[in-house]
Amino acid sequence: MRNIRPTLKQRLNWALTFTLANGLIATVIGLNYLRWMSVSDGYTTAYVFTLYGGQFFLLAMVFGLPLILLAFAPWRTLLITLGSFWAAILICLLSLDTAVYAQYRFHLSGFVLELAAQAGQEVFNFSGRTWLEAGLVATGVLIGEIVLAWVIWHWHPRFLWLGAALATTLAFQMTAHGWHAWADAHYDTRITTITRHVPLYYGATAKRFFKENGLIDPEKIREQAQLQEMVGARSRAEKPDYPKHPLACLTPESPPNILIIAVDSLRWDMLDEQWMPAVSRLAKSSLVFHNHRSNGNATKPGIFTLFYGLPASYWDLFSSTHTPPLLIQRIQELGYVLRILSSTTLVSPAFDRNVFSSVENLRLQTPGSSAWERDAQITDDWLAFMEEWQQEQRNQPFFGFLFYDSPHSFSPPPDFPRVEPFWDPVNVLELDNDFDPEPYFNVYKTTVRYTDHLIDQVLEDLRQRSLLDNTIVLITADHGKEFNENGKNYWGHGSNFSDYQLRVPLIIHWPGREPAEIYRDTVHFDIAPTLLRSVLGCSETPAENLASDFGLFAENSRHWTIAHSYMSHALLIDDTIVVTDPAGNVDILDKNLEPKASFPASAVLVQSVLQELARFNKN
């Protein structure tokens, strides 16, 4: 008698086999990404084989989970029909992603789809013939999936075979991630430049783990990698299209010293004599940008966008190729003496591989068991550097970067005066929507006061050495800090793109410029092109060749900008925030994080955003 109700084992058998078969199809389609990879020898070929052997099959397994659940229902026809439609949709999306990647060099996401949906057919205005061809292809894919589904149903592969296939996929995946982590720790761009081309692949990194367990010496490895690149012993991956055109620069007669001070998690409203008296005094004789925002709500995108003036979506490209920002390149060309001092490690996030990749003798980690101790240390180190510079190298200008961490870590010295009431010890597990934020906020304000105390030592040292008249001092932050101001139980940073997490102070003491309070909107994208064009002799270079905005003083600034977190990103336009999370989901919010139905997207806006996310990629 015919079995019209197949057993659960048969249904699961089919679902697993069908999923793996589509993993093979996805792998074949994924071969389209090979043309963007630099696969030049047996070593990289072996890595790509391992990467492909795990990633596309793993994606098939993840997206095939609904079929596994559906297999628990007893209806064979329903299982095969829905499974075929689901697989056809996913294969078509992967094929579409290869087309999007070929044009823009970034992968398809909910963000792109949402922009296109809001702007209508003007963005992707295909002809009737194009739609017909697309429809025929999709229909062909669906028919192929249906045929494949029935063939597999009658095949009846054994569970032992399926188990071996799954185990092999996981083995490939783990090997590829381990390989990437080791290559990343050894600055091996042959491997790290490959992974960004593969959709939904985030190569593992473990430099800190390797260092803590004595497996590597990061500073020694970095020096060796720089030497190998200098002599050409290490193959170099294709660089980004950056700048878009060669710089047109003249050597300034007397280039000023430049000191950038960044404070981790410093909000814009902390620029107040009550909390930052020293910086507030400097602000009275400086340019103060009252509506300035970072292009990141976390350290990684915040510092990246500060120095590059580009969206943090370029992080992988610039990191894997060890391409420093034009700002640092130009400073080095002009013979500046550099001193980079960070209270936080420069290994994670890996600023040693992008922002400061060209800086020799870079100290990757500052000694000290707490943030306030490291902050004090970098202040002492800076003062010592200034003494040395003034005695030995005064004929060369200096460039300094100080990155303080106490407000981020809620770490004031035990004997530093507290703002009361003071929450001690801080236990973030107690935070919820009903928690009174005042004691927690006061811990933050105490650390801000402490950081201001250290910055005061730096500024006072410059005054005593009569250097303020020839030193640009720029003070800002990587991102802000939220204390549930929106009433949605958000604490800290990296969780949304409201003003509390993006809006930061920007004070520039600029000799030769009149003090001013500037209220128009500015962003981190503006800083690098401003310094390059107004300080470092590149005034003839159009700002759009350098960065994603036009500068702090430009009249034609964009009315939209892009901000990133570690995994998500957002388009900020007018009073609207369009957020895409790592899963590709898109939320349209207002400034108070309340949902909105839509936003004013035009075809011109959408095309401009897509172009900005891709125009520094190599074509």
Side-chain angles (χ1 to χ4, degrees):
M1 184 175 180
R2 188 179 179 185
N3 181 13
I4 60 173
R5 289 287 181 101
T7 65
L8 176 61
K9 180 179 179 180
Q10 288 176 306
R11 298 193 302 271
L12 287 173
N13 191 329
W14 175 87
L16 289 170
T17 307
F18 186 65
T19 296
L20 289 172
N22 274 281
L24 180 60
I25 295 172
T27 302
V28 173
I29 295 173
L31 295 177
N32 284 291
Y33 301 111
L34 286 176
R35 57 180 149 160
W36 313 114
M37 301 178 188
S38 179
V39 185
S40 56
D41 52 30
Y43 182 76
T44 51
T45 300
Y47 175 73
V48 169
F49 178 80
T50 305
L51 175 61
Y52 268 66
Q55 179 64 5
F56 289 98
F57 283 97
L58 182 65
L59 289 178
M61 290 164 58
V62 171
F63 288 104
L65 286 177
L67 296 186
I68 307 300
L69 297 176
L70 189 61
F72 283 88
W75 304 288
R76 179 187 64 179
T77 302
L78 178 65
L79 174 62
I80 291 177
T81 301
L82 293 182
S84 299
F85 270 95
W86 178 239
I89 290 171
L90 295 177
I91 291 299
C92 287
L93 283 175
L94 179 60
S95 300
L96 179 60
D97 183 77
T98 64
V100 170
Y101 197 81
Q103 182 172 356
Y104 293 107
R105 219 71 77 249
F106 56 74
H107 294 289
L108 190 66
S109 67
F111 179 71
V112 175
L113 294 175
E114 183 67 31
L115 288 181
Q118 293 290 332
Q121 295 184 358
E122 295 178 60
V123 177
F124 301 109
N125 188 16
F126 300 132
S127 65
R129 179 177 178 178
T130 302
W131 282 112
L132 177 61
E133 291 175 350
L136 291 174
V137 170
T139 302
V141 171
L142 176 59
I143 293 173
E145 289 289 349
I146 293 173
V147 171
L148 177 64
W150 281 105
V151 168
I152 290 175
W153 183 263
H154 294 289
W155 179 22
H156 300 304
R158 296 182 178 180
F159 267 112
L160 180 63
W161 181 89
L162 292 174
L166 294 174
T168 302
T169 295
L170 294 176
F172 272 120
Q173 186 73 202
M174 294 176 65
T175 301
H177 276 291
W179 198 336
H180 184 275
W182 189 255
D184 173 75
H186 286 79
Y187 298 85
D188 190 345
T189 60
R190 294 175 300 170
I191 300 302
T192 57
T193 54
I194 288 174
T195 54
R196 67 185 182 87
H197 299 293
V198 179
L200 297 177
Y201 187 80
Y202 306 98
T205 58
K207 190 183 297 182
R208 184 177 296 185
F209 171 81
F210 292 147
K211 178 180 181 296
E212 290 175 352
N213 287 275
L215 299 174
I216 64 169
D217 182 343
E219 295 187 5
K220 185 176 181 180
I221 290 174
R222 185 174 187 272
E223 292 173 0
Q224 291 174 343
Q226 287 180 328
L227 179 61
Q228 289 175 336
E229 290 188 357
M230 287 174 59
V231 301
R234 182 187 292 261
S235 62
R236 298 178 67 88
E238 188 175 349
K239 291 289 186 179
D241 191 15
Y242 174 76
K244 292 300 295 181
H245 302 285
L247 298 183
C249 303
L250 298 174
T251 302
E253 283 189 18
S254 300
N257 306 308
I258 303 173
L259 173 59
I260 296 178
I261 300 175
V263 181
D264 201 330
S265 304
L266 183 63
R267 291 160 49 127
W268 85 97
D269 54 358
M270 291 296 99
L271 184 59
D272 183 285
E273 291 185 355
Q274 186 176 11
W275 314 122
M276 301 194 78
V279 175
S280 296
R281 285 194 300 272
L282 182 72
K284 294 178 181 178
S285 60
S286 304
L287 302 169
V288 181
F289 296 83
H290 288 280
N291 288 309
H292 186 80
R293 289 167 180 80
S294 172
N295 289 100
N297 64 8
T299 297
K300 174 180 170 179
I303 296 299
F304 183 91
T305 56
L306 170 65
F307 278 92
Y308 284 94
L310 299 175
S313 54
Y314 290 105
W315 171 276
D316 287 340
L317 173 61
F318 285 81
S319 298
S320 62
T321 56
H322 298 175
T323 303
L326 292 172
L327 177 61
I328 296 294
Q329 292 182 47
R330 181 61 179 160
I331 284 169
Q332 291 177 312
E333 287 175 1
L334 293 174
Y336 275 74
V337 180
L338 278 71
R339 188 62 167 147
I340 310 300
L341 296 168
S342 174
S343 179
T344 66
T345 176
L346 297 177
V347 171
S348 180
F351 297 120
D352 62 320
R353 291 171 47 218
N354 45 56
V355 176
F356 305 118
S357 60
S358 61
V359 178
E360 296 182 0
N361 302 317
L362 180 68
R363 187 172 74 188
L364 301 180
Q365 192 156 340
T366 297
S369 59
S370 62
W372 71 264
E373 290 176 301
R374 294 190 297 271
D375 284 350
Q377 184 65 57
I378 66 171
T379 304
D380 291 342
D381 292 341
W382 175 259
L383 299 179
F385 164 73
M386 290 306 303
E387 179 67 24
E388 177 186 351
W389 175 84
Q390 195 163 41
Q391 290 182 1
E392 300 179 8
Q393 297 171 317
R394 196 169 183 175
N395 60 321
Q396 295 174 279
F398 66 77
F399 171 83
F401 176 64
L402 294 173
F403 189 25
Y404 290 100
D405 188 46
S406 290
H408 169 264
S409 302
F410 295 95
S411 171
D415 58 347
F416 193 81
R418 269 53 175 155
V419 179
E420 298 292 346
F422 187 88
W423 191 22
D424 188 22
V426 170
N427 181 8
V428 294
L429 296 179
E430 297 182 23
L431 298 174
D432 57 32
N433 228 18
D434 298 323
F435 187 87
D436 179 8
E438 184 182 8
Y440 192 28
F441 201 4
N442 286 343
V443 178
Y444 173 76
K445 290 174 180 176
T446 301
T447 62
V448 169
R449 276 185 177 175
Y450 171 67
T451 305
D452 181 80
H453 165 71
L454 298 177
I455 294 175
D456 187 34
Q457 297 178 40
V458 173
L459 298 176
E460 186 59 32
D461 180 71
L462 290 173
R463 291 189 186 96
Q464 293 179 2
R465 298 181 189 278
S466 301
L467 290 173
L468 271 181
D469 291 339
N470 190 37
T471 301
I472 292 176
V473 180
L474 187 153
I475 302 176
T476 189
D478 52 350
H479 55 79
K481 180 79 80 173
E482 185 169 0
F483 292 88
N484 199 28
E485 283 85 357
N486 285 307
K488 297 183 179 298
N489 202 29
Y490 285 116
W491 303 85
H493 64 279
S495 52
N496 66 58
F497 296 92
S498 68
D499 273 359
Y500 293 103
Q501 297 195 29
L502 289 181
R503 194 172 168 193
V504 296
L506 177 61
I507 305 100
I508 307 180
H509 168 78
W510 196 316
R513 286 186 178 267
E514 290 295 321
E517 298 191 43
I518 300 167
Y519 288 91
R520 72 179 187 84
D521 289 343
T522 57
V523 292
H524 270 11
F525 288 164
D526 291 308
I527 293 174
T530 298
L531 294 176
L532 280 163
R533 301 179 77 242
S534 300
V535 180
L536 301 175
C538 301
S539 59
E540 299 301 316
T541 302
E544 57 266 30
N545 289 344
L546 309 171
S548 290
D549 223 314
F550 305 105
L552 294 168
F553 310 113
E555 296 180 359
N556 58 337
S557 180
R558 301 185 192 278
H559 69 288
W560 56 268
T561 193
I562 300 167
H564 278 76
S565 185
Y566 280 99
M567 299 295 288
S568 59
H569 58 276
L571 170 67
L572 287 77
I573 174 172
D574 299 329
D575 293 325
T576 303
I577 308 171
V578 184
V579 184
T580 303
D581 67 19
N585 301 311
V586 177
D587 292 317
I588 304 175
L589 309 171
D590 64 17
K591 290 291 186 181
N592 297 317
L593 306 182
E594 296 295 337
K596 294 180 67 173
S598 63
F599 68 99
S602 66
V604 173
L605 167 68
V606 173
Q607 289 167 349
S608 297
V609 173
L610 296 181
Q611 180 186 27
E612 199 55 43
L613 290 170
R615 69 189 182 97
F616 288 98
N617 289 315
K618 208 70 155 177
N619 293 323

